[in-house]
Amino acid sequence: MTRRVAERSWRAATASCEPAWTTKIQYPRGSFGMATENSRLILTRRPEPGRLADCFDFQRSRLEEPGPGEVLLQTLWISVEPYMVLAASGALAARPREARTRMQSLMVRYAAGVEIGEAMPGPAVCRVIKSRHPGFGEGEIVTSYSGWQSLALDDGSLLRKIPAGPVPLPAFLGVLGIPGLTGYAGMKVIGAPRGDDMVVVSAAMGAVGAVAADVARQAGAPTVGITSTERKRLQMVEELGFTFGADRKAEDFSDQLKQACPRGVDVYFENVGGMVWWTVFPLLRAFARIPVSGTLTNYMPGAGEGERDRVPELMKQVVPRRLRIQGFAVFDYPELEDEFTEVIGDRIASGAFTYVEDRYEGLGSTPQALQDIVDGKTSGKVVIHLAD
Amino acid sequence: MTRRVAERSWRAATASCEPAWTTKIQYPRGSFGMATENSRLILTRRPEPGRLADCFDFQRSRLEEPGPGEVLLQTLWISVEPYMVLAASGALAARPREARTRMQSLMVRYAAGVEIGEAMPGPAVCRVIKSRHPGFGEGEIVTSYSGWQSLALDDGSLLRKIPAGPVPLPAFLGVLGIPGLTGYAGMKVIGAPRGDDMVVVSAAMGAVGAVAADVARQAGAPTVGITSTERKRLQMVEELGFTFGADRKAEDFSDQLKQACPRGVDVYFENVGGMVWWTVFPLLRAFARIPVSGTLTNYMPGAGEGERDRVPELMKQVVPRRLRIQGFAVFDYPELEDEFTEVIGDRIASGAFTYVEDRYEGLGSTPQALQDIVDGKTSGKVVIHLAD
């Protein structure tokens, strides 16, 4: 795999529908010849911690022409997401389940993980370049689950058309995609903030957290975002509309949170786990709601080792403070998808909701982008640009 | 404090509105002279584990005549409840809070604990023997929060009249009292079982668990009760209407549960914590609801010591299984009280719902009754008979 040292360029938002802040990392564009010559990044071995980028390699192949009911897709943007660490490490078990809706099918695909020798599956934005499917015409832009490759043959069952509009395409992988819907559903249904509730969102600049925070903002609730540098903390307040920011790596993180939430926390959108969880925990007020969309730190090998058991500490507070800790998955809320697309799409288009995107360039940059997520080096939603 | 060795007598239900099974422990009746000579059990020191019965002593005093707006109560039945261990040990902090309703006032009293030299407060069934309160007439029977004493002067704010009917009075301290409403509200609002949901109830013969299980039964859900002896396990199924029973002290407890719930558990009413929690935990299905009304094992000193931290294990499952873990307190559901009294009262009167009561005799038996609860020696709701 060829890779060049990354060049980062930070810039502020220029147009209202552009993300507030974009990290660009330059990689050589994948060069491939005919439209049916496919480049894929396949998993060559299960990763050890910190070595993700070495576990993938290019594989080129020639695709068949699409058969009846199939389309040929050209990948424009690829999504890189934290759960892919689990998929690559083999932690997701490929248990086939019944799926009747597009959302259920997506869930099955997410949960299936990836085997050695396979291309990493995952969300992408693609252009239909050949179609023998009655539902999709050539030139249409769709979201797919075609993963880390430059082309894909697809039966259309997981595709969703992207309407023409002012919103940039990669947003449909982040704040307007599955991660955004995750934040939307969790905050709306479980967090359910009311006017003067104090809301705290972890990983608040990622697509999940950014949309969760925007739902709270729309409800009029003061919202604290947790991020991982002082610069990002300031940016959250000055550019992204958060009421307060807190830097989880700062020595006075706990004090920052206490100052931001003097009366305590009514909704904590839990996206992280570990130390952040335990810092927010003492601040939770009576009847606090805690939507849990994932707790990456708890999935790491060795989590919980050499510590005292803190479950009693947790459960002891659940009753007197009437805490509601509720896990959820985006796939449980297909009925919210249209509403979400409209509400958040309008908010982005009107400039009411700005967000952060980290754009990497070229298929070859994808494994490093995933490593950067694990290392906490990224800022917002991570997307890979392949073609226009 | 005088105390005689207990005599237990087991008997099956004879009348439809009698509890299915009653433990009677004989103690000398408290003897007191005039109607204004009060006997109280006061806390003489904070208990160490296992020595509760030695921490209380009798105190006799003469009460004043009721003033304007007051009533003089004669105690007929006293409730003994697990939270009183916390109250006696000083773990409940006396923090005054605003209370606008009777329920809120009750909550404040529950949370206030008890100081050395004070009589243990708590629910009781009393007869109004003198009244200068416009709302209560002499001879009326009420529930109060007058605690471990034979008489009480009361301003009426926490009293609730008991309607005449076929249900025995001590039921209003258990299955028709605050514990029953706890089970009712938690199962109804948070557990919310539907027809073929598999429901598991811990401490299932206590008043909280018994009513929680009856709500599930009324919804048509198969219900497993967890108890602590083989005899009680059989009784739950043969006399009390449980679909299955499981004995948490049995060596094959885990297998008993698995056999009772081959498809897993949809609702777990959590009343205990500790080992029972971790045995049920692997069986929880997707979208399982876990109403938590208290977890006594987690309140014990030293809980969690010398163990690995199991919070990661817990939180790791919250998302993929979409668990809803929700603490609650009965005081949050005043609007359910009338419905609860009617529904469960009718169920008891018609014989559709039978329950277990442990009756102790005499004020002096109260501390030992509390110790018996802690030691797991009681079966059902624990009440003390003082007078008819």
Side-chain angles (χ1 to χ4, degrees), chain A residues 41-43 56 84-85 87-88 114 118-122 146-149 370:
Chain A
L41 273 175
I42 62 162
L43 184 70
F56 295 89
M84 290 170 171
V85 178
V114 57
E118 283 183 0
M120 172 68 89
S146 51
W148 296 9
Q149 54 187 339
L370 183 56

Side-chain angles (χ1 to χ4, degrees), chain A residues 315, chain B residues 186-187 190-193 197-204 212 216 223-226 248 253 257 261 264-285 287-295 297 323-326 328:
Chain A
M315 294 301 279
Chain B
M187 185 58 82
I190 302 168
D197 278 347
M198 193 77 220
V199 176
V200 173
V201 177
S202 58
T223 304
V224 181
I226 298 176
R248 67 181 166 83
F253 171 48
L257 269 184
C261 314
V265 174
D266 298 290
V267 178
Y268 171 51
F269 192 98
E270 166 65 311
N271 206 356
V272 174
M275 178 274 293
V276 175
W277 164 263
W278 285 113
T279 309
V280 177
F281 188 72
L283 304 179
L284 295 171
R285 296 183 69 195
F287 305 102
R289 285 84 69 199
I290 302 115
V292 187
S293 76
T295 57
T297 55
L323 305 181
R324 175 175 175 182
I325 301 169
Q326 186 166 352
F328 71 99

